[in-house]
Amino acid sequence: MSSHRISPEHRYPPEAPESAVATEPAPEPEQEDGGGVMALLERIGSVVVPITVALYAVLYIGVEQMYAVFGVNPQQVGVDQSVLLGRLTSTLVLLLLVALPLLGVIAGLAWLIDKMTGGAANRLFQGIRKRPWIAATVAALWCGATYWGVFRIFGTLDLFVMVVVAVGLGVLAFLIPFRLMRRKPVGRAGTKVIVGGLTGVGLGFLLILSLVEGAVDVQETGQASELLNAVGFQDQWTVVKSAEDDKPLYDGRWMMLLGESDGTYVLYDCDKLETFRRPMETTNLSRIQLDPERREGFTCGDLAQQDSGN
């Protein structure tokens, strides 16, 4: 057998000249107009979510305080977390319908202001954000101000006292931690969560005060406000009848149906300012009305005043 020697120049395919090698151009960086607007929307979303979660967590406390005005708790009228969320569905849909256009308007205004100033507004905002002491101070003062709702529960505060509390609490409790947290991206994200959470809690305590005041108005006037209806309070009235002979009880007076649980109706007697319970098996409800119209100047407690006078 004869051996065939392969020459070195034929062992590997010849290299193509540099001019013949196809070079793919590097992709150009995308220039997206409105990138600052998208970043603004992301920042808004990162703050809105903890606000919403904290506000919903505090909301149930407000519902408990609202029903406590009538001497009952939410469980006794059949209201738990799932029922509350179900009653809030229509309110959440309305809030979503309002929030989406609002965010669009805010983003549009931010874009317009940035264009009118030739990008100076965005540069100013970014410059403030990059100065850790300024950002930490603003966040600390805001967190101090969110405690206004908590202190309102213990008494009424004027504007001067509230400013002193916000500044003092913010500087003493939040300024240094927020400054240290801004050294890393994780800390900056944590600052947003804390600020958003405290904002939701502060709004929640203001909501508690409004719900309690609204419940007191219902107890005195027999008419619920729009805020109480928005959080699922049922302004529902009925005439109670006996299940045995279907005859009206309590002189046929209208009673507010606060709710039902464990086979029991919980009713509020507007005329006597009393909350009482009746078993379902012995009770019929008739002439049920939602949000009944009241004559001007109507108040509850007519029979209670007569009884106290006697």
Side-chain angles (χ1 to χ4, degrees):
M1 295 180 62
S2 61
S3 61
H4 180 70
R5 176 176 292 182
I6 301 176
S7 59
E9 61 270 13
H10 292 93
R11 289 181 181 176
Y12 304 100
E15 297 182 359
E18 289 188 21
S19 60
V21 177
T23 58
E24 186 176 349
E28 297 181 359
E30 297 182 1
Q31 299 291 335
E32 295 185 0
D33 189 19
V37 175
M38 294 303 297
L40 175 63
L41 291 176
E42 292 179 0
R43 296 189 190 100
I44 292 175
S46 64
V47 175
V48 168
V49 171
I51 290 176
T52 305
V53 173
L55 183 58
Y56 178 75
V58 180
L59 175 61
Y60 196 74
I61 301 176
V63 173
E64 290 180 338
Q65 297 298 319
M66 177 179 66
Y67 281 107
V69 174
F70 298 94
V72 294
N73 58 50
Q75 291 77 21
Q76 290 175 326
V77 297
V79 177
D80 55 15
Q81 290 283 359
S82 59
V83 173
L84 178 61
L85 183 59
R87 293 184 180 183
L88 285 173
T89 301
S90 59
T91 303
L92 294 176
V93 171
L94 291 176
L95 289 177
L96 181 63
L97 293 176
V98 173
L100 288 178
L102 183 60
L103 289 177
V105 170
I106 293 175
L109 288 176
W111 178 84
L112 181 61
I113 293 173
D114 190 53
K115 289 297 182 182
M116 292 177 61
T117 58
N122 186 42
R123 290 192 296 271
L124 176 63
F125 178 74
Q126 295 298 333
I128 294 176
R129 286 186 68 246
K130 292 178 180 179
R131 296 181 180 274
W133 278 110
I134 296 179
T137 301
V138 172
L141 294 178
W142 179 260
C143 288
T146 58
Y147 277 78
W148 181 47
V150 180
F151 289 112
R152 276 289 306 276
I153 295 179
F154 303 102
T156 303
L157 301 179
D158 56 22
L159 181 60
F160 176 76
V161 175
M162 189 59 244
V163 171
V164 172
V165 170
V167 173
L169 186 61
V171 171
L172 294 176
F174 298 106
L175 179 58
I176 300 302
F178 283 167
R179 171 61 185 88
L180 297 176
M181 292 174 66
R182 292 197 64 83
R183 293 180 176 179
K184 296 182 179 180
V186 176
R188 291 192 291 270
T191 301
K192 293 181 181 180
V193 173
I194 294 174
V195 173
L198 287 178
T199 301
V201 171
L203 293 175
F205 277 98
L206 291 178
L207 179 61
I208 291 174
L209 293 172
S210 300
L211 292 179
V212 172
E213 292 174 357
V216 172
D217 289 338
V218 173
Q219 194 180 40
E220 296 176 350
T221 65
Q223 195 165 10
S225 63
E226 293 296 330
L227 177 61
L228 264 64
N229 294 330
V231 298
F233 183 83
Q234 293 182 338
D235 188 10
Q236 183 171 274
W237 296 77
T238 183
V239 174
V240 181
K241 293 184 176 182
S242 173
E244 297 179 357
D245 52 12
D246 201 36
K247 291 184 178 180
L249 301 174
Y250 312 107
D251 300 326
R253 300 195 309 273
W254 287 93
M255 305 287 176
M256 174 182 275
L257 179 61
L258 293 175
E260 63 273 352
S261 178
D262 298 329
T264 304
Y265 290 121
V266 180
L267 302 157
Y268 173 66
D269 189 343
C270 174
D271 296 295
K272 289 192 174 184
L273 303 177
E274 294 178 353
T275 302
F276 63 96
R277 307 174 72 183
R278 279 192 61 89
M280 290 183 178
E281 64 269 12
T282 62
T283 305
N284 289 340
L285 304 180
S286 65
R287 302 170 61 187
I288 298 176
Q289 292 186 6
L290 283 174
D291 303 327
E293 294 184 1
R294 302 289 185 182
R295 68 179 185 272
E296 187 176 355
F298 175 83
T299 57
C300 293
D302 293 337
L303 293 181
Q305 293 177 0
Q306 295 178 11
D307 295 340
S308 62
N310 295 334

